[in-house]
């Protein structure tokens, strides 16, 4: 055990985690030169194209140092805030972390939040200054920021470059010398933490775990504590570039287990594995059910594709356990599913994967968050969909989720950022200078519903990309919310209804009507677009009918001849309006997201 080192890589998005991992794998000879490619651990096409890590990836390296052989288990974690629970479990499975900071960009919001997570788990932090080969790098200033944040010495910071391979031997040496070996008792009852799982179409679900105590052997009868399910360990092993089976694994090791599980709900990240005949006294702390934060309706474009969509979502859920879905129907869109996502990036990725991997064309409705609705008797129900809101006369009050957001930026952008956050009903909690007054950290409490739609894009554009944003959920608060309905010719389009704050409802309704007027094609009859709160209409636009000039053939003569023709046309239009239905184009559902 003394020659095992378990460590993860934590950083803000795009600070070079995956590229640095490539160099470590190359230097230790884990990957042959012929198999080497950029971001070798990011095996999804989508990850490569966007340059982001979506899933954690674990891999084992072997390295010789001072004549002794060491086993290094590396876990590459996602940087995006949507996947922070997965990062927290990966951190819990390690004894040390490489904290990577881009030498040209400096410390960002997620660097700080991931760092605090690692410190809470008592990890040994090795600061690495990446991208030192760039002309725009500013290693001296960024080193000062790291020293101020971590309280370490300047000579503890390793200068490296994932592109050129500079500093890689020093990083490996630091991992061996600074990170402690795992502690644990191989003879104690088995206690293993699941930090990730993947789905293999032939072998079922493969769970990745780190053994805290005890030993596991092939064919052992094991139990997953949170779900209470029991299985035979058909195969266990360690993670090289491919899986390498082993007969037994003991405390301190990172490995995988295959036991023919076909249902993703039976394997939960953060769960504990133990033996059935000799269980551990208590599960490893920190397990949570992954709670979706953003909900949206996903509907097939062709109604007969409903069953295909269900099958696609089930397969996708095997790969991505944090996706939840329940069937729902809408008057405007037919049958579909109400899906729960961790955040907007997660939603975008799921939509993209449905299109690529399963060839499903879907319509996604306006995303919204979950609300706690209390009735007059004091009962609470969770509402994920505005159309599921009870009658207004029965509601006592509604609570919405709040977040604690941290924005790090340079002082010149503070004015516009404050204006943006306050316009989204944010409250400033504190502001402080970090890294010698060159940057500021602003902390806000904001409603999650306000940042769901376009907050991140706006923040990036007003700060010219110099602001980084990170958040975590900070409880529920009572709010004055109203349900805004959109009516087309007096009929409500349930897929466009939203829950919004009473103060914003009128302007939001007016903007929605104006936008829909541009997008809904003209028909043979007038279309009235109305925004309503309950029975009160707050805004209206009319899409005028396409008309033929029926009086063109009347020249001269009495006015009554013209009137007769116009009246005849008016009757025809009225009859059409009674039987005609209005098609809402897909663009209209997306337009609500980009109202400004």
């Amino acid at each position: 055990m003394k020659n095992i080192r378990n460590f993860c890589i934590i950083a803000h998005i795009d600070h070079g985690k995956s590229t640095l991992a490539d160099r470590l794998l190359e230097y230790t000879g884990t990957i042959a030169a012929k198999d080497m490619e950029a971001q070798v651990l990011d095996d999804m096409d989508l990850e490569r194209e966007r340059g982001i890590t979506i899933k954690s990836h674990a891999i084992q390296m072997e390295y010789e140092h001072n004549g002794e052989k060491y086993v290094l288990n590396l876990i590459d974690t996602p940087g995006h805030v949507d996947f922070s629970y997965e990062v927290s479990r990966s951190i819990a499975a390690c004894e040390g972390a490489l904290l990577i900071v881009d030498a040209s960009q400096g410390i960002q919001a997620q660097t700080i939040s991931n760092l605090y997570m690692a410190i809470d788990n008592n990890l040994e932090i090795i600061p690495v200054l990446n991208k030192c080969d760039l002309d725009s790098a500013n290693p001296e200033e960024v080193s000062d920021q790291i020293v101020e944040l971590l309280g370490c010495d300047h000579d503890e910071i390793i200068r490296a470059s994932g592109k050129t391979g500079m500093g890689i031997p020093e990083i490996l040496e630091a991992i061996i010398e600074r990170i402690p070996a795992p502690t644990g008792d191989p003879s104690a009852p088995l206690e293993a933490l699941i930090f990730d799982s993947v789905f293999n179409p032939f072998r079922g679900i493969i769970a990745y775990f780190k053994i805290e105590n005890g030993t596991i052997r092939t064919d052992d009868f094991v139990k997953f504590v949170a779900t209470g399910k029991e299985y035979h360990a058909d195969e266990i092993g360690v993670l090289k570039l491919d899986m390498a089976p082993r007969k037994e694994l003991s405390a301190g090791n990172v490995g995988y287990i295959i036991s023919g599980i076909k249902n993703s709900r039976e394997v939960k990240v953060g769960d504990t594995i133990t033996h059935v005949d000799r269980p551990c006294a208590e599960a490893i702390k920190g397990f949570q059910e992954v709670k979706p934060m953003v909900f949206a309706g996903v509907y097939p474009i062709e109604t007969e594709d409903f069953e295909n969509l269900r099958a696609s979502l089930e397969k996708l859920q095997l790969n991505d356990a944090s996706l939840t879905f329940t069937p729902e129907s809408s008057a405007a869109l037919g049958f579909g599913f109400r899906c729960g996502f961790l955040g907007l990036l997660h939603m975008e990725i799921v939509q993209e994967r449905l299109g690529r991997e399963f060839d499903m064309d879907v319509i996604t409705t306006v995303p919204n968050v979950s609300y706690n609705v209390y009735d007059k008797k004091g009962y609470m129900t969770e509402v994920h969909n505005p159309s599921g809101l009870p009658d207004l006369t029965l509601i006592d009050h509604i609570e919405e989720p709040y977040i604690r957001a941290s924005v790090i930026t340079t002082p010149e952008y503070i004015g516009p950022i404050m204006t943006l956050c306050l316009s989204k009903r944010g409250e400033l909690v504190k502001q402080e200078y970090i890294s010698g007054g060159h940057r500021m950290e602003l902390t806000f409490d904001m409603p999650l519903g306000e940042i769901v739609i376009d907050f991140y894009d706006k923040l990036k554009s007003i700060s010219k990309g110099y602001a980084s944003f990170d958040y975590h959920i900070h409880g529920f608060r009572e709010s004055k919310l109203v349900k805004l309905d959109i009516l087309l010719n007096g009929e409500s389009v349930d897929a466009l209804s939203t829950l919004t704050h009473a103060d914003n409802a009128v302007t939001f309704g007016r903007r929605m009507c104006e936008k829909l007027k541009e997008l809904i094609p003209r028909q043979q009859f007038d279309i009235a677009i109305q925004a309503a709160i309950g029975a009160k209409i707050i805004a209206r636009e009319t899409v005028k009918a396409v008309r033929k000039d029926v009086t063109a053939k009347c020249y001269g003569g009495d006015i009554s001849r013209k009137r007769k023709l116009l009246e005849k046309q008016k009757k025809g239009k009225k009859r059409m309006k009674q039987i005609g239905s209005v098609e809402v184009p897909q663009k209209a559902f997306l337009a609500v997201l980009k109202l400004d």
Side-chain angles (χ1 to χ4, degrees), residues 395-422:
I395 297 174
D396 182 52
H397 65 275
I398 305 176
E399 288 183 347
E400 62 177 336
Y402 262 69
I403 57 164
R404 174 66 57 90
S406 131
V407 179
I408 293 181
T409 183
T410 47
E412 62 260 36
Y413 300 114
I414 283 173
I417 288 174
M418 280 208 177
T419 311
L420 172 70
C421 292
L422 296 173

Side-chain angles (χ1 to χ4, degrees), residues 99 101 107 115 127-129 139-159 434-436:
L99 177 75
V101 181
I107 284 170
L115 171 70
V128 177
L129 204 53
E140 298 305 327
E141 190 181 310
V142 180
S143 294
D144 291 342
Q145 292 177 18
I146 295 174
V147 169
E148 191 180 325
L149 181 68
L150 276 176
C152 60
D153 294 334
H154 272 279
D155 50 5
E156 285 178 35
I157 300 169
I158 301 169
R159 294 192 181 186
I434 53 175
S435 63

Side-chain angles (χ1 to χ4, degrees), residues 185-231:
D185 179 1
S187 58
L190 176 67
E191 208 175 309
L193 171 76
I194 299 177
F195 62 84
D196 196 11
S197 65
V198 291
F199 177 69
N200 180 314
F202 305 106
R203 314 210 54 184
I205 294 197
I206 304 168
Y208 296 167
F209 60 79
K210 184 223 173 179
I211 305 177
E212 300 284 346
N213 286 308
T215 303
I216 184 169
R217 295 175 183 81
T218 310
D219 282 338
D220 277 359
F221 198 33
V222 295
K223 176 181 172 184
F224 288 33
V225 177
T227 56
K229 303 272 186 191
E230 299 175 357
Y231 308 99

Side-chain angles (χ1 to χ4, degrees), residues 506-545:
V506 175
T507 49
F508 187 65
R510 199 168 290 147
R511 294 208 324 263
M512 286 260 282
C513 291
E514 285 163 7
K515 195 77 184 172
L516 287 171
K517 185 182 177 182
E518 294 166 22
L519 293 167
I520 291 178
R522 289 171 72 184
Q523 308 281 349
Q524 297 277 348
F525 49 87
D526 284 2
I527 303 170
I529 305 169
Q530 294 166 311
I533 297 172
K536 183 184 172 194
I537 304 290
I538 55 169
R540 172 182 169 131
E541 293 286 336
T542 310
V543 179
K544 282 295 184 193

Side-chain angles (χ1 to χ4, degrees), residues 53 99 122 234 243 429 435 445-446 458 461 466 507 525:
T53 303
L99 177 75
N122 299 323
D234 299 337
M243 295 181 292
V429 179
S435 63
D445 279 350
M446 296 167 74
K458 280 187 184 165
S461 58
Y466 277 104
T507 49
F525 49 87

Side-chain angles (χ1 to χ4, degrees), residues 418-444:
M418 280 208 177
T419 311
L420 172 70
C421 292
L422 296 173
S423 72
K424 297 281 186 189
R425 297 193 283 133
E427 298 164 12
L428 183 66
V429 179
K430 64 172 184 190
Q431 60 185 74
E432 55 189 353
Y433 282 99
I434 53 175
S435 63
H438 299 302
R439 318 178 64 177
M440 271 196 97
E441 181 177 11
L442 303 169
T443 309
F444 288 92

